Amino acid sequence: MEDIREQYPLDLETTLEICDDYNVKHPRNRHTYMTSDFYVTYKDGKEKVFSVKPSRNVLKKKRAKEKLAVEKVYWEKFRHVPFEIVYKDEMNIVLAENIRMVCMFYDLSSVFDEMSMLKHYIATKKSKLIWNQNRLISSIYLRFTGMYYPK
């Protein structure tokens, strides 16, 4: 990934137009901007938008479905960007936590000790992860400790 933007604001005029075209009430009022949870740009230039919802139960509510439809039309019809709904209760929690941790230490300004430096190296792919005695560890950690590591 190249960039992740959270709570990305949608163009108000466009969302108003979509609501009028589909005879749907604009969220809150006609002066409130809608947002998308995550707008992702990949290194190859492709983009994708994600809306995160607690569970598929949200789709049982008519109003929630209307707002998601407006968001989907906005991205796919007007911006030509794929749109996907992601459900928290279906997420791999360990993977999500690992992504959060990597994002926290990607910026060098987040480094404050050896452990945070190790996390920074992993986040920026300056270290490879290897298996050692049934544990996943970093080659940087092995170098710090003087332990053997395969190249």
Side-chain angles (χ1 to χ4, degrees):
M1 282 184 237
E2 183 71 28
D3 188 29
I4 301 174
R5 287 160 274 185
E6 295 180 53
Q7 296 305 310
Y8 189 84
L10 311 187
D11 177 70
L12 182 59
E13 292 300 318
T14 306
T15 58
L16 288 169
E17 179 183 337
I18 295 167
C19 287
D20 291 345
D21 288 350
Y22 289 87
N23 198 25
V24 172
K25 182 179 179 275
H26 196 270
R28 286 215 169 146
N29 59 52
R30 296 186 65 85
H31 305 288
T32 302
Y33 285 82
M34 293 180 68
T35 62
S36 290
D37 294 321
F38 295 101
Y39 180 20
V40 178
T41 304
Y42 296 95
K43 288 186 180 191
D44 64 3
K46 292 181 182 174
E47 300 169 314
K48 191 166 186 178
V49 173
F50 297 89
S51 180
V52 180
K53 299 299 171 202
S55 73
R56 290 183 184 273
N57 289 336
V58 74
L59 300 177
K60 294 177 182 176
K61 299 175 183 173
K62 180 184 177 203
R63 185 66 182 141
K65 285 195 311 190
E66 288 175 345
K67 291 192 285 188
L68 286 168
V70 170
E71 194 176 0
K72 181 178 178 68
V73 169
Y74 176 90
W75 287 108
E76 293 187 348
K77 181 179 177 186
F78 287 86
R79 299 291 185 249
H80 309 289
V81 174
F83 174 81
E84 182 178 337
I85 303 169
V86 178
Y87 303 98
K88 286 183 182 180
D89 65 351
E90 296 175 10
M91 285 183 178
N92 179 329
I93 301 304
V94 172
L95 177 61
E97 179 60 22
N98 288 343
I99 292 169
R100 186 192 66 76
M101 183 69 74
V102 164
C103 291
M104 270 178 42
F105 291 98
Y106 191 83
D107 187 354
L108 190 57
S109 66
S110 300
V111 173
F112 55 89
D113 63 6
E114 283 185 357
M115 186 54 74
S116 60
M117 179 59 84
L118 175 61
K119 291 175 182 176
H120 171 73
Y121 284 142
I122 293 168
T124 57
K125 297 183 180 181
K126 292 179 182 167
S127 171
K128 60 183 173 186
L129 296 175
I130 58 173
W131 283 100
N132 183 333
Q133 299 175 351
N134 295 325
R135 291 184 320 177
L136 189 61
I137 57 177
S138 164
S139 61
I140 298 289
Y141 173 79
L142 292 174
R143 279 184 233 161
F144 282 158
T145 62
M147 295 172 63
Y148 166 80
Y149 64 97
K151 296 190 178 177

